[in-house]
């Protein structure tokens, strides 16, 4: 038994892990899982990892699912970390691409959902609901199907078609809402008590971030336990960024890495950049972004519950936040495609575009090791790419 308790990420209040719950009962902020790292290290080490399965369940001891629980798995994690081709405009840096499009349902959302659905099922949930920009819905639909539980997915009406069709074909109940992901979340909040749904909104349940933290473990392992100088991550709710930061602290406590941390950059869309604004004005929380619009649907998150966590990490790590407009995402996606052989999602393309800006501003220096996240596949965004090509 490696999971000790849940702890509020804002006020520190402890919560029992052994029942289904969402936010801190005192301050309504996200809960974090506290893992018994001393106990975990009795059976988990950097050496033992070499002989383990490739999926993220290779880190089983630092994941929250108790040992009598059965992981709900479709082979998530274990994605390639590719060295960018020299011809591919590496901008003079030692550039690596973490290609998350190879996950089940073609995005990194699979990581969070595999762990969160496993826990929800273990704790007795039978009906799961999620507001989604697209990819989280597809992932929940897949893992709920695999677990034999219901999935109720609320997406903005203009979510990319592939995400909508995917959810339906995976057996989920899909509702399209005239509004943004925040409106979808509000609809679930209104109905969940009556319907008996467990709310799987990112950071409003404690375990999606645990799945996402494996990005940090995997990166360290793939880079031979030396973290990169810089990480560029497309932030909507910011769960991957927050999860990686948690993983770095856990790995330091395990004695696997030292004190050095990468400079963490949150990349957003110019049409929805609440974190960039708050970072620039020195705020601790991010105000809701009005009239949010962008083809990078995963970045169309006008208000994130973990905003204060994201901003703290960006500042503590000496990183930053940067906004990219849609046209540039489309342009850069094609450049990356032609140079690297990867059909990236607009969110991933935004990170490549951000690298160029940060290089020309001198915020990333020549020769530094940089990891860019391609969080999903371009195949899900055909409407946007088609339009972008004038088709
Ligand atoms: C492809 C893609 N990239 C990035 C994000 C943003 O992820 P997060 O909410 O963890 O910041 C999403 C979220 O939907 C996404 O689908
Ligand atoms: Zn609290």
């Amino acid at each position: 038994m490696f999971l000790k308790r849940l702890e509020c990420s804002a006020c520190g209040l402890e919560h029992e892990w052994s029942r289904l719950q969402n936010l801190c009962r005192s301050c309504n902020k996200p809960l974090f899982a506290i893992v018994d790292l001393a106990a975990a290290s009795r059976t988990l080490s950097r050496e033992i990892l070499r002989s383990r399965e490739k999926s993220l369940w290779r880190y089983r001891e630092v994941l929250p699912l108790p040992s009598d629980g059965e992981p709900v798995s479709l082979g998530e994690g274990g994605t390639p970390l590719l060295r960018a081709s020299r011809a591919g405009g590496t901008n003079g840096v030692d550039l690596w691409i973490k290609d998350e499009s190879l996950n089940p349902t073609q995005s990194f959302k699979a990581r969070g959902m595999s762990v969160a659905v496993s826990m929800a099922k273990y704790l007795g949930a039978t009906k799961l609901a999620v507001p989604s920009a697209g990819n989280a819905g597809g992932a929940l639909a897949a893992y709920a199907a695999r677990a034999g539980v219901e999935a109720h997915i609320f997406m903005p009406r203009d979510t990319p078609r592939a995400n909508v069709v995917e959810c339906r074909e995976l057996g989920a109940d899909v509702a399209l809402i005239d509004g943004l992901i925040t409106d979808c979340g509000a609809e679930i909040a209104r109905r969940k008590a009556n319907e008996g749904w467990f709310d799987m909104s990112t950071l409003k349940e404690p375990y999606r971030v645990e799945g996402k933290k494996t990005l940090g473990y995997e990166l360290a392992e793939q880079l031979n336990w030396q973290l990169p100088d810089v990480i560029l991550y497309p932030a909507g709710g910011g769960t991957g960024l927050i999860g990686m930061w948690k993983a770095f602290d856990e790995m330091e406590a395990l004695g696997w890495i030292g004190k050095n941390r990468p400079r963490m950059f949150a990349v957003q869309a110019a049409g929805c950049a609440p974190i960039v604004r708050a970072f620039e004005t020195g705020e601790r929380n991010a105000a809701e972004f009005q009239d949010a619009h962008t083809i990078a649907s995963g970045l169309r998150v006008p208000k994130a519950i973990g905003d204060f966590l994201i901003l703290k990490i960006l500042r503590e790590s000496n990183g930053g936040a940067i906004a990219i407009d849609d046209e540039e995402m489309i342009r850069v996606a094609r450049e990356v495609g032609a140079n690297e052989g990867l059909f990236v999602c607009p969110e991933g393309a935004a990170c490549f575009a951000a690298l160029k800006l940060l290089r020309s501003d001198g915020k990333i220096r020549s020769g530094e090791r940089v990891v860019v996240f391609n969080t999903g596949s371009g195949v899900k965004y055909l409407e946007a790419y088609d339009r972008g090509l004038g088709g």
Side-chain angles (χ1 to χ4, degrees):
M1 186 56 252
F2 300 104
L3 177 56
K4 289 203 286 196
R5 62 178 181 276
L6 297 174
E7 212 172 271
C8 176
S9 59
C11 77
L13 186 70
E14 293 187 9
H15 294 60
E16 270 284 325
W17 65 265
S18 58
R19 64 182 184 84
L20 280 171
Q21 61 200 302
N22 290 109
L23 296 169
C24 172
R25 66 172 173 269
S26 164
C27 74
N28 264 335
K29 297 291 184 196
L31 296 174
F32 278 172
I34 306 299
V35 178
D36 186 345
L37 295 171
S41 68
R42 285 200 279 277
T43 50
L44 184 67
S45 68
R46 300 191 310 187
E47 292 68 37
I48 285 167
L49 280 169
R50 292 203 193 109
S51 60
R52 294 248 175 123
E53 63 173 308
K54 198 170 136 225
S55 94
L56 61 76
W57 293 97
R58 66 199 271 99
Y59 308 109
R60 178 70 193 252
E61 289 90 337
V62 293
L63 293 176
L65 186 69
S67 42
D68 60 337
E70 187 59 37
V72 181
S73 176
L74 292 161
E76 53 292 325
T79 59
L81 180 67
L82 303 166
R83 183 164 218 165
S85 70
R86 235 156 305 143
T90 56
N91 298 283
V93 298
D94 176 22
L95 180 60
W96 296 76
I97 307 161
K98 183 70 172 154
D99 187 15
E100 287 290 295
S101 71
L102 275 92
N103 276 299
T105 67
Q106 297 80 52
S107 93
F108 74 146
K109 297 280 170 181
R111 293 181 187 263
M113 287 302 182
S114 175
V115 173
V117 171
S118 299
M119 278 304 282
K121 184 170 185 186
Y122 183 83
L123 297 173
T126 56
K127 299 177 182 185
L128 310 179
V130 81
S132 171
N135 284 317
L140 177 66
Y143 287 94
R146 189 84 174 168
V149 299
E150 289 178 18
H152 300 271
I153 295 162
F154 290 75
M155 297 192 276
R157 192 169 298 285
D158 53 358
T159 296
R161 197 71 203 141
N163 297 122
V164 179
V165 174
E166 173 183 40
C167 290
R168 287 195 183 135
E169 296 305 314
L170 287 164
D173 166 37
V174 181
L176 298 180
I177 300 285
D178 293 312
L180 295 167
I181 189 168
T182 34
D183 302 302
C184 297
E187 180 71 5
I188 292 175
R190 255 194 306 279
R191 292 176 56 190
K192 66 184 179 186
N194 268 346
E195 303 277 0
W197 295 336
F198 180 61
D199 189 344
M200 297 285 278
S201 300
T202 199
L203 290 171
K204 287 189 188 160
E205 69 78 55
Y207 303 115
R208 282 174 66 180
V209 68
E210 290 298 293
K212 290 273 189 82
K213 86 181 177 188
T214 62
L215 288 169
Y217 278 92
E218 231 173 84
L219 204 57
E221 196 181 348
Q222 287 173 314
L223 291 173
N224 205 18
W225 309 104
Q226 294 289 328
L227 298 180
D229 299 305
V230 174
I231 287 178
L232 299 177
Y233 174 88
T239 312
L241 194 98
I242 295 165
M244 278 191 274
W245 200 250
K246 186 170 188 283
F248 298 156
D249 285 347
E250 289 178 4
M251 285 189 286
E252 187 182 346
L254 286 163
W256 293 4
I257 62 167
K259 282 201 174 323
N260 288 347
R261 296 288 183 271
R263 305 201 298 285
M264 309 289 281
F265 285 87
V267 181
Q268 299 203 298
C272 183
I275 299 295
V276 178
R277 268 195 191 161
F279 183 82
E280 285 172 354
T281 52
E283 305 290 329
R284 283 179 60 207
N285 297 284
E288 181 155 349
F289 199 94
Q290 300 303 315
D291 303 321
H293 61 89
T294 168
I295 53 152
S297 43
L299 305 184
R300 206 165 44 180
V301 181
K303 176 80 189 155
I305 187 162
D307 56 357
F308 69 104
L309 296 168
I310 304 171
L311 287 161
K312 195 160 147 258
I313 293 166
L314 304 181
R315 291 181 178 127
E316 257 178 43
S317 74
N318 229 349
I322 190 159
I324 304 294
D325 69 40
D326 285 10
E327 268 174 38
E328 180 70 355
M329 288 182 214
I330 299 266
R331 209 183 57 69
V332 171
R334 195 176 221 198
E335 206 175 277
V336 173
N339 287 328
E340 307 291 347
L342 297 172
F343 185 16
V344 298
C345 58
E347 294 85 346
C351 292
F352 286 89
L355 170 60
K356 289 187 192 202
L357 289 179
L358 292 167
R359 274 294 285 139
S360 55
D361 286 355
K363 290 196 177 134
I364 298 179
R365 293 177 290 280
S366 160
E368 286 196 300
R369 176 165 283 181
V370 179
V371 171
V372 162
F373 276 87
N374 177 42
T375 42
S377 169
V379 168
K380 299 271 176 91
Y381 301 79
L382 293 186
E383 302 99 325
Y385 284 126
D386 238 12
R387 267 200 311 277
L389 300 177

